[in-house]
């Protein structure tokens, strides 16, 4: 029911039931940011994200996220959420 109301609100009426298998995730990859983060692998950095700053050592970089070592734990940060980076 929510599916129909949502699309009706935006002028697109669908009478078919919602099928989660038809949902596509679209993610943009910024190759320049990925390349810059790869060059900083092993370095202690500050990543400023849309939710605040995170300091840690870059362990690994993938096309959509970076893995940071934060003292005794690890954090996975989506690259799409990174505003800027700075080596410390």
């Amino acid at each position: 029911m929510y599916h129909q109301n949502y699309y009706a609100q935006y002028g697109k009426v669908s009478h078919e039931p919602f099928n989660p298998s038809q949902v596509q995730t679209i993610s943009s990859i910024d190759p320049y940011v990925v390349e810059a983060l790869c060059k900083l692998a092993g370095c202690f950095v500050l990543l400023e994200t849309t939710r605040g700053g995170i300091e840690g050592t870059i362990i690994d970089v993938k096309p959509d996220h970076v893995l940071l070592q934060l003292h005794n734990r690890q954090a996975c940060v989506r690259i799409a959420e990174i505003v800027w980076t700075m080596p410390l």
Side-chain angles (χ1 to χ4, degrees):
M1 188 55 105
Y2 173 78
H3 176 70
Q4 289 178 343
N5 292 340
Y6 176 80
Y7 283 104
Q9 179 181 359
Y10 294 99
K12 299 176 184 176
V13 178
S14 174
H15 299 287
E16 297 178 19
F18 177 70
N19 184 351
S21 66
Q22 294 176 340
V23 175
Q24 294 180 351
T25 302
I26 299 173
S27 175
S28 61
I29 297 172
D30 191 340
Y32 295 106
V33 174
V34 172
E35 181 182 355
L37 290 169
C38 285
K39 290 179 181 178
L40 293 172
C43 295
F44 190 72
V45 298
L46 168 63
L47 299 180
E48 184 67 32
T49 71
T50 57
R51 307 270 276 162
I54 303 174
E55 292 182 1
T57 302
I58 296 178
I59 299 172
D60 194 15
V61 180
K62 301 294 184 197
D64 64 334
H65 70 275
V66 60
L67 187 62
L68 288 180
Q69 182 69 43
L70 312 170
H71 302 291
N72 59 351
R73 57 194 169 143
Q74 295 180 352
C76 183
V77 180
R78 291 182 60 222
I79 290 177
E81 296 296 315
I82 298 173
V83 179
W84 52 265
T85 62
M86 180 175 62
L88 298 175

Coordinates of all heavy atoms in Angstrom, one line a residue:
M1 N 0.8 -1.2 0.0 CA 0.0 0.0 0.0 C 0.9 1.3 0.0 O 0.6 2.2 -0.7 CB -0.9 0.0 1.2 CG -2.0 1.1 1.2 SD -2.9 1.1 -0.4 CE -4.4 0.4 0.2
Y2 N 1.9 1.3 0.8 CA 2.8 2.4 0.9 C 3.4 2.7 -0.5 O 3.6 3.8 -0.9 CB 3.9 2.2 1.9 CG 5.0 3.2 1.9 CD1 4.8 4.5 2.5 CD2 6.2 3.0 1.2 CE1 5.7 5.4 2.5 CE2 7.2 4.0 1.2 CZ 6.9 5.2 1.8 OH 7.9 6.2 1.8
H3 N 3.8 1.6 -1.2 CA 4.4 1.7 -2.5 C 3.4 2.5 -3.5 O 3.9 3.5 -4.1 CB 4.6 0.3 -3.1 CG 5.2 0.3 -4.5 ND1 6.4 0.8 -4.8 CD2 4.6 -0.1 -5.7 CE1 6.6 0.6 -6.1 NE2 5.5 0.1 -6.6
Q4 N 2.2 2.2 -3.5 CA 1.2 2.9 -4.3 C 1.1 4.4 -3.9 O 1.0 5.3 -4.7 CB -0.1 2.2 -4.3 CG -0.1 0.9 -5.1 CD -1.4 0.2 -5.0 OE1 -2.3 0.5 -4.2 NE2 -1.6 -0.8 -5.9
N5 N 1.0 4.6 -2.6 CA 0.8 6.0 -2.1 C 2.0 6.8 -2.4 O 1.9 8.0 -2.8 CB 0.6 6.0 -0.6 CG -0.8 5.4 -0.3 OD1 -1.7 5.3 -1.1 ND2 -0.9 5.0 1.0
Y6 N 3.2 6.3 -2.3 CA 4.5 7.0 -2.6 C 4.5 7.4 -4.0 O 4.8 8.6 -4.3 CB 5.7 6.1 -2.2 CG 7.0 6.7 -2.6 CD1 7.6 7.7 -1.8 CD2 7.6 6.4 -3.8 CE1 8.8 8.2 -2.1 CE2 8.8 7.0 -4.1 CZ 9.4 7.9 -3.3 OH 10.6 8.5 -3.6
Y7 N 4.2 6.5 -4.9 CA 4.3 6.9 -6.3 C 3.1 7.7 -6.8 O 3.3 8.6 -7.6 CB 4.4 5.6 -7.2 CG 5.7 5.0 -7.2 CD1 6.0 3.9 -6.5 CD2 6.8 5.6 -7.9 CE1 7.3 3.4 -6.5 CE2 8.1 5.1 -7.9 CZ 8.3 4.0 -7.2 OH 9.6 3.5 -7.1
A8 N 2.0 7.6 -6.1 CA 0.9 8.4 -6.5 C 1.2 9.9 -6.1 O 0.8 10.8 -6.8 CB -0.4 8.0 -5.7
Q9 N 1.9 10.1 -5.0 CA 2.3 11.4 -4.5 C 3.2 12.1 -5.6 O 3.1 13.3 -5.7 CB 3.1 11.3 -3.2 CG 3.5 12.6 -2.7 CD 4.3 12.4 -1.4 OE1 4.5 11.3 -0.9 NE2 4.7 13.5 -0.8
Y10 N 4.0 11.3 -6.3 CA 4.9 11.9 -7.3 C 4.3 11.8 -8.7 O 5.1 11.9 -9.7 CB 6.3 11.3 -7.2 CG 6.9 11.7 -5.9 CD1 6.9 10.8 -4.8 CD2 7.4 13.0 -5.7 CE1 7.5 11.2 -3.6 CE2 8.0 13.3 -4.5 CZ 8.0 12.5 -3.4 OH 8.6 12.8 -2.2
G11 N 3.1 11.4 -8.9 CA 2.5 11.3 -10.2 C 2.7 10.1 -10.9 O 2.4 10.0 -12.1
K12 N 3.3 9.1 -10.3 CA 3.6 7.8 -10.9 C 2.8 6.7 -10.2 O 3.2 6.3 -9.1 CB 5.1 7.4 -10.9 CG 5.9 8.4 -11.6 CD 7.4 8.1 -11.4 CE 8.3 9.1 -12.0 NZ 9.7 8.9 -11.7
V13 N 1.7 6.3 -10.8 CA 0.8 5.3 -10.1 C 1.2 3.9 -10.6 O 1.3 3.7 -11.8 CB -0.7 5.6 -10.4 CG1 -1.5 4.6 -9.7 CG2 -1.0 7.0 -9.9
S14 N 1.5 3.1 -9.6 CA 1.8 1.7 -10.0 C 0.8 0.8 -9.2 O 0.6 0.9 -8.0 CB 3.2 1.3 -9.5 OG 3.4 0.0 -9.7
H15 N 0.1 -0.1 -10.0 CA -0.9 -1.0 -9.4 C -0.2 -2.4 -9.2 O -0.9 -3.3 -8.7 CB -2.1 -1.1 -10.3 CG -2.8 0.2 -10.4 ND1 -3.5 0.8 -9.4 CD2 -2.8 1.1 -11.4 CE1 -4.0 2.0 -9.8 NE2 -3.6 2.2 -11.0
E16 N 1.0 -2.5 -9.5 CA 1.7 -3.8 -9.3 C 2.3 -3.8 -7.9 O 2.7 -2.8 -7.3 CB 2.9 -4.0 -10.3 CG 2.4 -4.0 -11.7 CD 3.5 -4.1 -12.7 OE1 4.6 -4.5 -12.3 OE2 3.3 -3.8 -13.9
P17 N 2.3 -5.0 -7.2 CA 2.9 -5.1 -5.9 C 4.4 -4.8 -5.9 O 5.1 -5.0 -6.9 CB 2.6 -6.5 -5.5 CG 2.3 -7.3 -6.7 CD 1.8 -6.3 -7.7
F18 N 4.9 -4.3 -4.9 CA 6.3 -3.9 -4.8 C 7.2 -5.2 -4.8 O 6.9 -6.1 -4.0 CB 6.6 -3.1 -3.5 CG 8.0 -2.8 -3.3 CD1 8.7 -1.9 -4.1 CD2 8.8 -3.4 -2.3 CE1 10.0 -1.6 -3.9 CE2 10.1 -3.1 -2.1 CZ 10.7 -2.2 -2.9
N19 N 8.2 -5.3 -5.6 CA 9.1 -6.4 -5.7 C 10.5 -6.0 -5.4 O 11.1 -5.3 -6.2 CB 9.0 -7.0 -7.1 CG 9.8 -8.3 -7.2 OD1 10.5 -8.7 -6.3 ND2 9.6 -9.0 -8.4
P20 N 11.0 -6.4 -4.2 CA 12.4 -5.9 -3.8 C 13.4 -6.4 -4.7 O 14.5 -5.8 -4.8 CB 12.6 -6.6 -2.4 CG 11.2 -7.0 -1.9 CD 10.4 -7.2 -3.1
S21 N 13.2 -7.5 -5.5 CA 14.3 -8.0 -6.4 C 14.4 -7.0 -7.6 O 15.4 -7.1 -8.3 CB 13.9 -9.4 -6.9 OG 12.8 -9.4 -7.7
Q22 N 13.5 -6.1 -7.8 CA 13.6 -5.2 -8.9 C 14.3 -3.9 -8.5 O 14.5 -3.0 -9.3 CB 12.2 -4.8 -9.4 CG 11.5 -6.0 -10.1 CD 10.1 -5.6 -10.5 OE1 9.5 -4.7 -10.0 NE2 9.5 -6.4 -11.4
V23 N 14.7 -3.7 -7.2 CA 15.4 -2.5 -6.7 C 16.8 -2.6 -7.2 O 17.5 -3.6 -7.0 CB 15.2 -2.4 -5.2 CG1 16.1 -1.3 -4.7 CG2 13.8 -2.3 -4.8
Q24 N 17.3 -1.5 -7.7 CA 18.7 -1.4 -8.2 C 19.4 -0.4 -7.3 O 18.9 0.7 -7.1 CB 18.8 -1.0 -9.6 CG 18.3 -2.1 -10.6 CD 18.4 -1.6 -12.0 OE1 18.8 -0.5 -12.3 NE2 18.2 -2.5 -12.9
T25 N 20.6 -0.8 -6.8 CA 21.4 0.2 -6.1 C 22.4 0.8 -7.0 O 23.1 0.1 -7.8 CB 22.2 -0.5 -5.0 OG1 21.3 -1.2 -4.1 CG2 23.0 0.4 -4.2
I26 N 22.4 2.2 -7.0 CA 23.3 2.9 -7.9 C 24.3 3.6 -7.0 O 23.9 4.3 -6.1 CB 22.5 3.9 -8.8 CG1 21.5 3.1 -9.7 CG2 23.5 4.7 -9.6 CD1 20.6 4.0 -10.5
S27 N 25.5 3.4 -7.3 CA 26.6 4.0 -6.5 C 27.6 4.6 -7.5 O 28.0 3.9 -8.4 CB 27.3 3.0 -5.6 OG 28.3 3.5 -5.0
S28 N 28.0 5.8 -7.3 CA 29.0 6.4 -8.1 C 30.4 6.2 -7.5 O 30.5 6.3 -6.3 CB 28.7 7.9 -8.3 OG 28.8 8.6 -7.1
I29 N 31.3 5.9 -8.3 CA 32.7 5.6 -7.9 C 33.5 6.8 -8.3 O 33.5 7.2 -9.5 CB 33.3 4.3 -8.5 CG1 32.4 3.1 -7.9 CG2 34.7 4.2 -8.1 CD1 32.8 1.8 -8.6
D30 N 34.2 7.4 -7.4 CA 35.1 8.5 -7.7 C 36.5 8.0 -7.8 O 37.2 7.9 -6.7 CB 35.0 9.6 -6.6 CG 35.6 10.9 -7.1 OD1 36.5 10.9 -7.9 OD2 35.3 12.0 -6.5
P31 N 37.0 7.7 -9.0 CA 38.3 7.1 -9.1 C 39.5 7.9 -8.6 O 40.5 7.4 -8.1 CB 38.5 6.8 -10.6 CG 37.5 7.7 -11.2 CD 36.4 7.9 -10.3
Y32 N 39.4 9.2 -8.6 CA 40.4 10.1 -8.1 C 40.5 10.0 -6.6 O 41.6 10.0 -6.0 CB 40.2 11.6 -8.5 CG 40.3 11.7 -10.0 CD1 39.2 11.9 -10.8 CD2 41.6 11.6 -10.7 CE1 39.3 12.0 -12.2 CE2 41.7 11.7 -12.1 CZ 40.5 11.9 -12.8 OH 40.6 12.0 -14.2
V33 N 39.4 10.0 -5.9 CA 39.4 9.8 -4.4 C 40.0 8.5 -4.1 O 40.8 8.3 -3.1 CB 38.0 10.1 -3.8 CG1 38.0 9.8 -2.4 CG2 37.5 11.5 -4.1
V34 N 39.5 7.4 -4.8 CA 40.0 6.1 -4.5 C 41.5 6.0 -4.7 O 42.3 5.5 -3.8 CB 39.3 5.0 -5.4 CG1 40.0 3.7 -5.2 CG2 37.9 5.0 -5.1
E35 N 42.0 6.6 -5.7 CA 43.5 6.6 -6.0 C 44.2 7.4 -4.9 O 45.3 6.9 -4.4 CB 43.8 7.3 -7.4 CG 45.2 7.3 -7.7 CD 45.5 8.0 -9.1 OE1 44.5 8.4 -9.8 OE2 46.7 8.2 -9.4
A36 N 43.7 8.5 -4.5 CA 44.4 9.3 -3.5 C 44.4 8.6 -2.1 O 45.4 8.6 -1.4 CB 43.6 10.7 -3.3
L37 N 43.3 7.9 -1.8 CA 43.3 7.1 -0.6 C 44.2 5.9 -0.7 O 44.8 5.5 0.4 CB 41.8 6.6 -0.3 CG 40.8 7.7 0.1 CD1 39.4 7.2 0.1 CD2 41.2 8.3 1.5
C38 N 44.3 5.3 -1.8 CA 45.3 4.2 -2.0 C 46.7 4.6 -1.7 O 47.5 3.9 -1.1 CB 45.1 3.6 -3.4 SG 43.7 2.5 -3.6
K39 N 47.0 5.8 -2.2 CA 48.4 6.4 -1.9 C 48.6 6.6 -0.4 O 49.8 6.7 0.0 CB 48.6 7.6 -2.7 CG 48.7 7.4 -4.2 CD 48.9 8.7 -5.0 CE 49.0 8.4 -6.5 NZ 49.1 9.7 -7.2
L40 N 47.6 6.8 0.3 CA 47.7 7.1 1.8 C 47.6 5.8 2.6 O 47.5 5.9 3.8 CB 46.6 8.1 2.2 CG 46.8 9.5 1.7 CD1 45.6 10.3 2.0 CD2 48.0 10.1 2.2
A41 N 47.5 4.6 2.0 CA 47.4 3.4 2.7 C 48.5 3.2 3.6 O 49.7 3.5 3.3 CB 47.3 2.2 1.7
G42 N 48.2 2.8 4.9 CA 49.3 2.7 5.9 C 49.5 4.0 6.7 O 50.3 4.0 7.7
C43 N 49.0 5.1 6.2 CA 49.2 6.4 6.9 C 48.1 6.7 7.9 O 47.0 6.3 7.7 CB 49.3 7.5 5.8 SG 50.6 7.4 4.7
F44 N 48.4 7.5 8.9 CA 47.5 8.0 9.8 C 46.8 9.2 9.2 O 47.5 10.2 8.8 CB 48.2 8.3 11.2 CG 47.2 8.6 12.3 CD1 46.5 7.6 12.9 CD2 47.1 9.9 12.8 CE1 45.6 7.9 13.9 CE2 46.2 10.2 13.8 CZ 45.5 9.2 14.4
V45 N 45.5 9.3 9.1 CA 44.8 10.3 8.4 C 43.6 10.8 9.2 O 43.1 10.2 10.1 CB 44.3 9.9 7.0 CG1 45.5 9.5 6.1 CG2 43.3 8.8 7.1
L46 N 43.2 12.0 8.8 CA 41.9 12.6 9.2 C 40.9 12.5 8.0 O 41.3 13.1 7.0 CB 42.0 14.0 9.7 CG 40.8 14.8 10.0 CD1 39.9 14.1 11.1 CD2 41.1 16.2 10.3
L47 N 39.8 11.8 8.2 CA 38.8 11.8 7.2 C 37.6 12.7 7.7 O 37.0 12.3 8.7 CB 38.3 10.4 6.9 CG 39.3 9.4 6.3 CD1 38.6 8.1 6.1 CD2 39.9 9.9 5.1
E48 N 37.3 13.8 7.0 CA 36.2 14.6 7.4 C 35.0 14.0 6.6 O 35.0 14.0 5.3 CB 36.4 16.0 7.0 CG 35.3 17.0 7.5 CD 35.2 17.0 9.0 OE1 36.2 16.9 9.7 OE2 34.0 17.2 9.5
T49 N 34.0 13.6 7.3 CA 32.8 13.0 6.6 C 31.6 14.0 6.9 O 31.7 14.9 7.6 CB 32.5 11.6 7.2 OG1 32.0 11.8 8.5 CG2 33.7 10.7 7.2
T50 N 30.5 13.6 6.3 CA 29.3 14.4 6.4 C 28.8 14.3 7.9 O 27.9 15.1 8.3 CB 28.2 13.9 5.5 OG1 27.9 12.5 5.7 CG2 28.6 14.1 4.0
R51 N 29.3 13.4 8.7 CA 28.9 13.2 10.1 C 30.0 13.6 11.0 O 29.8 13.5 12.2 CB 28.5 11.7 10.3 CG 27.5 11.2 9.3 CD 26.1 11.4 9.8 NE 25.8 10.3 10.7 CZ 24.8 10.3 11.5 NH1 24.0 11.3 11.6 NH2 24.6 9.3 12.3
G52 N 31.1 14.1 10.6 CA 32.2 14.6 11.4 C 33.5 13.9 11.0 O 33.6 13.2 10.1
G53 N 34.5 14.3 11.8 CA 35.9 13.8 11.5 C 36.2 12.4 12.1 O 35.7 12.1 13.2
I54 N 37.0 11.6 11.4 CA 37.5 10.4 12.0 C 39.0 10.3 11.7 O 39.4 10.5 10.6 CB 36.8 9.2 11.2 CG1 35.3 9.3 11.4 CG2 37.3 7.8 11.8 CD1 34.6 8.2 10.5
E55 N 39.7 10.0 12.8 CA 41.2 9.8 12.7 C 41.5 8.3 12.8 O 41.0 7.6 13.7 CB 41.9 10.6 13.8 CG 41.8 12.1 13.6 CD 42.6 12.8 14.7 OE1 43.2 12.1 15.6 OE2 42.5 14.0 14.7
G56 N 42.4 7.9 11.9 CA 42.8 6.5 11.9 C 43.8 6.2 10.9 O 44.1 7.0 10.0
T57 N 44.3 5.0 10.9 CA 45.2 4.5 9.9 C 44.5 3.7 8.8 O 43.7 2.8 9.1 CB 46.3 3.6 10.5 OG1 46.9 4.3 11.5 CG2 47.3 3.1 9.5
I58 N 44.7 4.1 7.5 CA 44.1 3.4 6.4 C 44.6 2.0 6.3 O 45.8 1.9 6.0 CB 44.2 4.2 5.1 CG1 43.5 5.6 5.2 CG2 43.7 3.4 3.9 CD1 43.7 6.5 4.0
I59 N 43.8 1.0 6.4 CA 44.2 -0.4 6.3 C 44.0 -0.8 4.8 O 44.8 -1.5 4.2 CB 43.4 -1.3 7.2 CG1 43.6 -0.9 8.6 CG2 43.7 -2.7 7.0 CD1 42.7 -1.6 9.6
D60 N 42.8 -0.5 4.3 CA 42.4 -1.0 2.9 C 41.5 0.0 2.3 O 40.8 0.7 2.9 CB 41.7 -2.4 3.1 CG 41.6 -3.1 1.7 OD1 42.3 -2.7 0.8 OD2 40.9 -4.1 1.7
V61 N 41.5 0.0 0.9 CA 40.7 0.9 0.2 C 40.0 0.1 -0.9 O 40.6 -0.7 -1.6 CB 41.5 2.1 -0.5 CG1 40.5 3.0 -1.3 CG2 42.2 2.8 0.5
K62 N 38.7 0.2 -1.0 CA 37.9 -0.5 -2.0 C 37.2 0.6 -2.8 O 37.2 1.8 -2.4 CB 36.8 -1.4 -1.4 CG 37.4 -2.5 -0.5 CD 38.2 -3.4 -1.4 CE 38.7 -4.6 -0.5 NZ 39.8 -5.3 -1.1
P63 N 36.6 0.3 -4.0 CA 35.9 1.4 -4.8 C 34.9 2.2 -4.0 O 34.6 3.3 -4.4 CB 35.3 0.6 -6.0 CG 36.2 -0.6 -6.1 CD 36.6 -1.0 -4.6
D64 N 34.2 1.6 -3.0 CA 33.1 2.3 -2.4 C 33.4 2.6 -0.9 O 32.6 3.3 -0.3 CB 31.8 1.5 -2.5 CG 31.9 0.1 -1.8 OD1 33.0 -0.4 -1.6 OD2 30.8 -0.4 -1.4
H65 N 34.4 2.0 -0.3 CA 34.7 2.3 1.1 C 36.2 2.2 1.5 O 36.9 1.7 0.7 CB 33.9 1.3 2.0 CG 34.4 -0.1 2.0 ND1 33.9 -1.0 1.0 CD2 35.2 -0.8 2.7 CE1 34.5 -2.2 1.2 NE2 35.3 -2.1 2.3
V66 N 36.5 2.7 2.6 CA 37.9 2.7 3.1 C 37.8 2.1 4.5 O 36.9 2.4 5.3 CB 38.5 4.1 3.1 CG1 37.8 5.1 3.9 CG2 40.0 4.0 3.5
L67 N 38.7 1.2 4.8 CA 38.8 0.6 6.1 C 39.9 1.3 7.0 O 41.0 1.4 6.5 CB 39.1 -0.9 6.0 CG 39.1 -1.8 7.2 CD1 37.7 -1.8 7.8 CD2 39.5 -3.2 6.9
L68 N 39.5 1.8 8.2 CA 40.4 2.5 9.0 C 40.6 1.7 10.3 O 39.7 1.1 10.8 CB 39.8 3.8 9.5 CG 39.7 5.0 8.4 CD1 39.1 6.2 9.1 CD2 41.0 5.3 7.9
Q69 N 41.8 1.7 10.8 CA 42.1 1.2 12.1 C 42.1 2.3 13.1 O 42.8 3.3 13.0 CB 43.6 0.6 12.1 CG 43.9 -0.1 13.5 CD 43.1 -1.3 13.7 OE1 42.9 -2.1 12.8 NE2 42.7 -1.5 15.0
L70 N 41.2 2.2 14.1 CA 41.0 3.3 15.1 C 41.4 2.6 16.5 O 40.6 1.9 17.1 CB 39.5 3.7 15.2 CG 38.8 4.0 13.9 CD1 37.3 4.2 14.1 CD2 39.4 5.3 13.3
H71 N 42.6 2.9 16.9 CA 43.1 2.3 18.1 C 42.9 0.8 18.1 O 43.6 0.1 17.4 CB 42.5 3.0 19.3 CG 42.8 4.5 19.4 ND1 44.0 5.0 19.5 CD2 41.9 5.5 19.2 CE1 43.9 6.3 19.5 NE2 42.7 6.7 19.2
N72 N 41.9 0.3 18.9 CA 41.8 -1.2 19.0 C 40.6 -1.7 18.2 O 40.1 -2.8 18.4 CB 41.6 -1.6 20.5 CG 40.4 -0.9 21.2 OD1 39.8 0.0 20.6 ND2 40.1 -1.3 22.4
R73 N 40.0 -0.9 17.3 CA 38.9 -1.3 16.5 C 39.0 -0.8 15.1 O 39.9 0.0 14.8 CB 37.6 -0.9 17.1 CG 37.5 0.6 17.3 CD 36.4 1.1 18.2 NE 36.6 2.5 18.5 CZ 35.7 3.4 18.6 NH1 34.5 3.0 18.5 NH2 36.0 4.6 18.9
Q74 N 38.2 -1.3 14.2 CA 38.2 -0.9 12.8 C 36.9 -0.3 12.4 O 35.8 -0.6 13.0 CB 38.4 -2.1 11.9 CG 39.8 -2.7 12.1 CD 40.0 -3.9 11.2 OE1 39.1 -4.4 10.6 NE2 41.3 -4.4 11.2
A75 N 36.9 0.6 11.5 CA 35.7 1.3 11.0 C 35.8 1.3 9.4 O 36.8 1.4 8.8 CB 35.7 2.8 11.4
C76 N 34.6 1.1 8.9 CA 34.4 1.1 7.4 C 33.7 2.4 7.1 O 32.6 2.6 7.6 CB 33.6 -0.1 7.1 SG 33.4 -0.3 5.3
V77 N 34.3 3.2 6.3 CA 33.7 4.5 5.9 C 33.4 4.5 4.4 O 34.3 4.3 3.6 CB 34.7 5.7 6.3 CG1 34.1 7.0 5.9 CG2 35.1 5.6 7.7
R78 N 32.2 4.8 4.1 CA 31.8 5.0 2.7 C 32.5 6.1 2.1 O 32.5 7.3 2.6 CB 30.3 5.1 2.6 CG 29.5 3.9 2.9 CD 28.0 4.0 2.8 NE 27.7 4.3 1.4 CZ 26.8 5.2 1.0 NH1 26.1 5.9 1.8 NH2 26.6 5.4 -0.3
I79 N 33.1 5.9 0.9 CA 33.8 7.0 0.2 C 32.8 8.1 -0.2 O 33.2 9.3 -0.1 CB 34.6 6.5 -1.0 CG1 35.8 5.6 -0.4 CG2 35.1 7.6 -1.9 CD1 36.6 4.9 -1.5
A80 N 31.6 7.8 -0.5 CA 30.6 8.8 -0.8 C 30.4 9.8 0.3 O 29.9 10.9 0.1 CB 29.3 8.2 -1.3
E81 N 30.7 9.4 1.6 CA 30.4 10.3 2.7 C 31.7 11.1 3.1 O 31.6 12.0 3.9 CB 30.1 9.4 3.9 CG 28.8 8.7 3.8 CD 27.6 9.6 3.6 OE1 27.5 10.6 4.4 OE2 26.7 9.4 2.8
I82 N 32.8 10.9 2.4 CA 34.0 11.6 2.7 C 34.0 13.0 2.0 O 33.7 13.1 0.8 CB 35.3 10.9 2.3 CG1 35.4 9.6 3.1 CG2 36.5 11.7 2.5 CD1 36.5 8.6 2.6
V83 N 34.2 14.1 2.8 CA 34.2 15.4 2.3 C 35.7 15.8 1.9 O 35.9 16.3 0.8 CB 33.7 16.4 3.3 CG1 33.7 17.8 2.8 CG2 32.3 16.0 3.7
W84 N 36.6 15.5 2.8 CA 38.0 15.8 2.5 C 38.9 14.9 3.4 O 38.4 14.3 4.3 CB 38.4 17.2 2.6 CG 38.1 17.9 3.9 CD1 37.0 18.7 4.2 CD2 38.8 17.9 5.1 NE1 37.0 19.1 5.5 CE2 38.1 18.7 6.0 CE3 40.1 17.4 5.5 CZ2 38.6 18.9 7.4 CZ3 40.5 17.6 6.8 CH2 39.8 18.3 7.7
T85 N 40.2 14.7 3.0 CA 41.1 13.9 3.7 C 42.4 14.8 4.0 O 42.7 15.7 3.2 CB 41.5 12.7 3.0 OG1 42.2 13.0 1.8 CG2 40.3 11.8 2.6
M86 N 43.1 14.4 5.1 CA 44.3 15.1 5.4 C 45.2 14.1 6.2 O 44.8 13.5 7.2 CB 44.1 16.3 6.3 CG 45.3 17.0 6.7 SD 45.0 18.6 7.6 CE 44.2 18.0 9.0
P87 N 46.4 13.8 5.6 CA 47.4 13.0 6.4 C 47.8 13.7 7.6 O 48.0 14.9 7.6 CB 48.5 12.8 5.4 CG 48.3 13.6 4.2 CD 47.0 14.3 4.4
L88 N 48.0 13.0 8.7 CA 48.5 13.6 10.0 C 49.9 13.1 10.3 O 50.3 12.2 9.9 CB 47.5 13.2 11.1 CG 46.0 13.7 10.9 CD1 45.2 13.2 12.0 CD2 46.0 15.2 10.9

